[in-house]
Amino acid sequence: MYNRRKFLKTTSTVAGLVAIAPRTFSKSFLNKNNTGFPIVISTWDFGVAANKEAWKILGTGGRALDAVEAGARIPEADLNNHSVGKAGYPDRDGHVTLDACIMDEFGNCGGVAGMEYIAHPISVARLVMEKTPHVLLVGEGATQFAVEQGFKKETLLTDESKKAWEKWLVTAKYSPVINFENKQSKPGDKYNHDTIGMLAIDAKGNISGACTTSGMAFKLHGRVGDSPIIGAGLYVDNEVGGATSTGVGEEVIRNVGSFLVVELMRQGYSPDAACKEAVNRIIKKKPETAKQIQVGFLAINKKGEYGSYAIQPGFSFAVCNQEKQDLLVSGKSYY
Ligand code: SD4
């Protein structure tokens, strides 16, 4: 049984470690209730804005599930963001197809994959979870379900994204590469990526997560990555913690990445050690491929300690809790 005394002992040890080793990224912030939550963490720089939205719910005692849905909708609606939601880069045939999933503290989950014409896949994923006996709807069926639920059908391809696609068509080289970061990049640098994966713990200590993306730019029509796949792009176990991923989804799916991270935390790994082990599995299986790609994991445990690990440098994530609303952290990397 995890009692309050034991919790205080553990967290004060962590706080002590932070004082002498400030570069560690497994941290726990104690709020007034001596807990490491509420807290929300999200992948990449755009996680800062997403977290702020989520905090409106978490900071006023709301449910983690509502917070991650509200937060994920921010990059989905951002027309300057070409990797999530509306204005996402299309597939090689010019279709914008979106992937998303969501998971709550009871182990309920829902997702959509390859869905066209609907700007907020995370909200459709939530309704798949809540209104159907299923976990995943794909393609036309997902769009049809969304329309039946009252979502508006709209064109997701913007002029800017269309121009980028037309430029790509000149060579139309089918070797879609997820933009990965150069070794000099720092948090705050402007990149045009990527999937948002978001994990939150509410004031009651319940955990939920969300993940949403337009996937790999100029992908083969019908290609689906890790982001809408429970266990790959996202996994939450309310007894243990949650994990999410970004980067080349195929490698994450092959290793059931987010589930692996959560299971490692169950065995006692810290969030960043669990993320590192998941990254190492990818590198070990395909060392040559791994040099060319980015995959990053972000995780949080039941105490509100968080951590990350990525193959390449430059993976940033955003943290928001009672003390910090806009903290951007550079994740650890293999290279
Ligand atoms: C995918 N994992 O579709 C997503 C893309 C991504 O950073 O996260 N890019 O494979």
Side-chain angles (χ1 to χ4, degrees):
M1 246 317 254
Y2 199 77
N3 60 36
R4 188 167 172 271
R5 233 169 121 192
K6 192 167 163 203
F7 175 79
L8 288 174
K9 205 166 156 235
T10 320
T11 47
S12 58
T13 308
V14 171
L17 278 179
V18 168
I20 51 166
R23 284 183 60 81
T24 186
F25 294 111
S26 270
K27 292 178 187 170
S28 174
F29 289 95
L30 298 187
N31 64 21
K32 287 179 193 129
N33 305 319
N34 287 324
T35 60
F37 41 85
I39 184 169
V40 56
I41 59 175
S42 303
T43 54
W44 301 116
D45 301 14
F46 52 41
V48 170
N51 284 356
K52 273 190 183 157
E53 191 66 20
W55 189 255
K56 290 181 190 165
I57 293 169
L58 287 177
T60 50
R63 187 178 170 202
L65 181 70
D66 295 327
V68 294
E69 182 194 358
R73 287 173 63 95
I74 298 298
E76 282 185 345
D78 181 356
L79 300 186
N80 293 317
N81 179 326
H82 299 300
S83 54
V84 179
K86 186 167 180 169
Y89 284 149
D91 64 22
R92 69 174 188 177
D93 299 340
H95 301 268
V96 180
T97 64
L98 304 179
D99 301 335
C101 72
I102 195 160
M103 192 159 188
D104 74 9
E105 70 269 33
F106 303 111
N108 297 316
C109 50
V112 290
M115 183 177 70
E116 288 189 68
Y117 307 116
I118 307 291
H120 285 295
I122 199 65
S123 296
V124 184
R126 179 166 178 176
L127 291 182
V128 171
M129 173 175 89
E130 291 179 341
K131 300 253 163 107
T132 81
H134 309 305
V135 166
L136 187 60
L137 293 181
V138 304
E140 277 175 32
T143 306
Q144 185 187 326
F145 170 75
V147 170
E148 283 165 12
Q149 294 298 320
F151 287 78
K152 191 177 82 182
K153 247 176 132 174
E154 58 187 295
T155 303
L156 302 180
L157 188 66
T158 58
D159 287 347
E160 211 180 319
S161 298
K162 192 165 176 233
K163 267 191 208 133
W165 170 58
E166 283 165 351
K167 197 169 159 204
W168 175 82
L169 280 176
V170 174
T171 54
K173 207 170 147 226
Y174 187 62
S175 56
V177 172
I178 298 270
N179 43 344
F180 64 86
E181 296 60 41
N182 63 49
K183 293 190 195 297
Q184 286 77 41
S185 62
K186 306 178 292 300
D189 286 351
K190 291 279 164 267
Y191 293 105
N192 218 358
H193 51 68
D194 262 305
T195 297
I196 183 155
M198 191 169 218
L199 300 161
I201 309 183
D202 60 31
K204 291 185 178 152
N206 287 326
I207 311 169
S208 289
C211 187
T212 178
T213 191
S214 54
M216 210 178 250
F218 319 129
K219 60 198 174 187
L220 200 66
H221 184 58
R223 180 263 182 192
V224 171
D226 57 325
S227 304
I229 309 295
I230 293 296
L234 176 74
Y235 195 70
V236 168
D237 184 319
N238 207 43
E239 285 182 3
V240 177
T244 189
S245 62
T246 180
V248 177
E250 282 75 2
E251 299 313 318
V252 178
I253 293 173
R254 284 188 181 108
N255 291 277
V256 201
S258 292
F259 181 74
L260 173 61
V261 171
V262 172
E263 286 306 300
L264 290 166
M265 290 196 292
R266 191 193 304 280
Q267 290 167 29
Y269 282 59
S270 68
D272 57 356
C275 292
K276 183 177 183 180
E277 175 58 22
V279 162
N280 280 341
R281 297 261 179 112
I282 291 171
I283 293 170
K284 210 170 145 194
K285 278 188 196 152
K286 295 189 171 209
E288 287 314 307
T289 306
K291 281 183 195 155
Q292 311 300 322
I293 62 164
Q294 175 67 302
V295 171
F297 291 101
L298 180 63
I300 194 159
N301 67 18
K302 188 72 181 162
K303 288 184 268 178
E305 296 168 333
Y306 55 85
S308 80
Y309 218 89
I311 301 176
Q312 308 290 342
F315 172 42
S316 60
F317 63 96
V319 180
C320 179
N321 60 14
Q322 205 148 289
E323 342 252 312
K324 292 262 178 200
Q325 312 287 289
D326 55 2
L327 179 66
L328 196 57
V329 182
S330 176
K332 289 179 177 175
S333 66
Y334 188 83
Y335 287 110

